[in-house]
Amino acid sequence: MRFSPKLVSWREWTGLGAGIVAVAALFLPWTNLSATRQDVEEALRELPAGDVARNAWTTGFLEWFGPVLLLLAGIAVVLVGQYRTARVGGLPQLWLIASAVAVLLMIFGWFAIDHEFSPDTRSLLADGGIGIYGGIGRYLGLAAGGVSLTAAVLDARSLRRRGMRKARY
């Protein structure tokens, strides 16, 4: 059987799109440094942009693996989801688990945001009044994870409802 875009449901396309958006967000600022004092903020502006706003590739495994997992799950669902045996065999549930793991990894990464820096650097930043905050990429990646997780839940539920209808007749 050949690939046919007509056989891909809107939920599966949504999962692939969410994975693409999540991976694109990896290249946006993932972590930002910001100061409350004006003189420190001006000093931050003089630093190279990569030191003040970091993308996910430079921050660590918890930051980049979740979005990459979303993309891989989206690709698998679109390509393999056309086969009825794969769909009945648990592909929607696998997508659901992959999306949930990806979202959890991104949430854990958010809680560990200050651990991107060494303890000495963290204390130096805190003494200077510099805070470590999530960037736009982190928000966009987590939103894409939520969209993929929602689509995966809806897809798993639709498969369950279809299976229940067939069992009744």
Side-chain angles (χ1 to χ4, degrees):
M1 187 164 127
R2 299 172 69 189
F3 178 77
S4 173
K6 295 178 200 172
L7 297 177
V8 180
S9 73
W10 66 269
R11 293 177 299 275
E12 294 165 340
W13 283 121
T14 301
L16 178 62
I20 291 169
V21 169
V23 167
L26 293 174
F27 298 97
L28 296 173
W30 206 259
T31 302
N32 291 322
L33 300 178
S34 181
T36 55
R37 295 186 354 221
Q38 185 64 28
D39 58 333
V40 178
E41 186 67 35
E42 289 174 11
L44 283 177
R45 281 191 216 124
E46 293 176 10
L47 291 173
D51 291 344
V52 178
R54 296 177 169 195
N55 65 23
W57 299 112
T58 60
T59 54
F61 175 79
L62 283 177
E63 315 306 336
W64 60 261
F65 187 72
V68 170
L69 183 60
L70 282 178
L71 178 63
L72 293 175
I75 291 170
V77 165
V78 166
L79 293 180
V80 181
Q82 297 195 8
Y83 301 104
R84 185 179 180 333
T85 55
R87 293 203 46 77
V88 174
L91 184 65
Q93 290 81 4
L94 183 64
W95 176 24
L96 179 63
I97 291 168
S99 295
V101 167
V103 168
L104 283 175
L105 284 173
M106 287 188 270
I107 290 171
F108 290 154
W110 205 305
F111 284 121
I113 193 170
D114 59 338
H115 292 289
E116 297 172 18
F117 301 95
S118 69
D120 294 335
T121 305
R122 285 194 307 263
S123 73
L124 182 64
L125 291 173
D127 291 343
I130 298 173
I132 305 167
Y133 302 100
I136 187 71
R138 192 178 295 264
Y139 287 101
L140 189 59
L142 194 55
V147 167
S148 180
L149 184 59
T150 303
V153 166
L154 293 174
D155 197 52
R157 289 181 54 103
S158 74
L159 182 68
R160 184 172 169 227
R161 276 187 250 132
R162 279 183 283 177
M164 291 174 78
R165 272 190 249 135
K166 286 182 182 179
R168 289 183 190 155
Y169 299 111

